[in-house]
Amino acid sequence: MTAVLALLAATLLATPAAADSARVLRVMTYNMHTGIGTDGRADLGRIAEVIRDADVDVVGLQEVDVHWSDRSAYADQVAELARMTGMSAYFAPIYDLDPEPGRQERRRYGVAVLSDHPILSVTNHEITRWSTVDPDGDPEPAPGFAEVVVSVGGKPVHVYNTHLDYRPDPSVRQQQVTDTLEILRQDGPGARQVLLGDFNAEPAAPELAPLFAHGRDAWGTRDGGLTFPADDPVKRIDYVTVAGPMRVLNTSVPAVTASDHRPVVATVQLR
């Protein structure tokens, strides 16, 4: 009887902790610059090492090549990172172009999501983009806004990954934010949402204000969080935001130089 009571007590004590652990999600956003570090050297293994060292559950990656060019040795960077991290992967191309002469693979470039949690569904949404492949074109809807719904302790979490326009003129980013919010609102009230990405603007930029009204900036209003350039950052342009019944427990910016950006890591608790 004493042994049974001891076992019951141990079970009761362990259950809340196990439940809390099941409701905690560690996420990372990382503009990986196609694996090119501040030393100008391409090394995808260093990107994988940053991810592994951060011990995260979900990663949003920007500037990802899939058979794009010799800058990344025509590698399928999504498949390679999935293999090196042991995570599931989803790739949302912005560009999907014909092969280069002498090659057979289509050239693709965009964003990716890696996950240790089960993936329930994926979508490559369109938002307004001003092409960098055809700079003479006009801004128009284009893919590359990834949504991956993952199951965290049996609860769905909508993870979004984006890369907003880099130009000093904020007009395209402003339209991208409008497009983004239209998509986010389709999940309905109470949906758990995590938005990861390189917003290419600092927190006080007026065009970002609607995003921060919808989702809480995980870094908050405290100083720091600088992400660019990686070797001596002076700007905070990479973000994690959360919306719905979730609470941010902590955030950090690892001081790594495997890319020209530093990543942002956040731990959130599902309520």
Side-chain angles (χ1 to χ4, degrees):
M1 180 63 72
T2 302
V4 172
L5 291 175
L7 178 60
L8 178 59
T11 302
L12 292 174
L13 288 171
T15 299
D20 287 345
S21 176
R23 292 195 295 264
V24 171
L25 178 68
R26 278 178 62 79
V27 299
M28 169 190 283
T29 184
Y30 197 11
N31 182 326
M32 57 175 272
H33 195 222
T34 69
I36 300 173
T38 57
D39 58 2
R41 186 166 60 89
D43 186 345
L44 204 59
R46 295 188 297 192
I47 300 295
E49 183 178 10
V50 170
I51 295 169
R52 291 193 302 265
D53 287 350
D55 192 26
V56 289
D57 305 304
V58 175
V59 185
L61 298 168
Q62 304 88 43
E63 297 194 11
V64 186
D65 282 353
V66 172
H67 308 306
W68 182 258
S69 71
D70 59 358
R71 73 182 178 194
S72 49
Y74 295 96
D76 182 339
Q77 294 192 321
V78 180
E80 286 296 301
L81 286 170
R83 178 184 61 81
M84 288 189 279
T85 61
M87 304 173 83
S88 301
Y90 171 65
F91 179 56
I94 298 172
Y95 304 121
D96 187 344
L97 307 179
D98 290 336
E100 286 189 346
R103 300 199 64 87
Q104 297 181 345
E105 311 96 342
R106 292 193 64 80
R107 304 174 60 226
R108 300 195 294 167
Y109 169 89
V111 303
V113 175
L114 305 179
S115 176
D116 263 341
H117 289 286
I119 294 177
L120 304 178
S121 65
V122 298
T123 309
N124 187 0
H125 294 283
E126 291 188 344
I127 61 174
T128 299
R129 295 193 184 280
W130 195 351
S131 174
T132 56
V133 174
D134 180 18
D136 293 330
D138 294 323
E140 60 182 3
F145 178 36
E147 177 187 5
V148 175
V149 182
V150 298
S151 176
V152 181
K155 298 182 182 299
V157 177
H158 297 254
V159 177
Y160 291 90
N161 183 20
T162 196
H163 192 181
L164 301 186
D165 193 77
Y166 69 94
R167 296 169 178 87
D169 181 352
S171 59
V172 175
R173 278 193 303 279
Q174 186 175 25
Q175 183 58 52
Q176 289 177 325
V177 168
T178 298
D179 297 341
T180 297
L181 289 174
E182 288 181 1
I183 293 167
L184 295 178
R185 288 169 181 151
Q186 292 175 7
D187 293 336
R192 295 177 176 85
Q193 297 175 328
V194 178
L195 175 62
L196 310 170
D198 174 1
F199 294 177
N200 266 313
E202 296 191 75
E207 67 269 24
L208 298 187
L211 280 183
F212 297 141
H214 175 87
R216 302 176 295 283
D217 179 1
W219 192 264
T221 57
R222 59 198 169 106
D223 293 337
L226 305 178
T227 59
F228 184 83
D231 51 355
D232 187 17
V234 296
K235 295 181 178 181
R236 183 159 83 90
I237 60 175
D238 300 275
Y239 299 87
V240 175
T241 76
V242 300
M246 293 191 293
R247 180 167 66 100
V248 177
L249 301 180
N250 57 66
T251 52
S252 63
V253 176
V256 293
T257 56
S259 166
D260 63 342
H261 289 240
R262 293 184 179 184
V264 180
V265 178
T267 306
V268 298
Q269 184 178 42
L270 281 61
R271 292 175 171 172

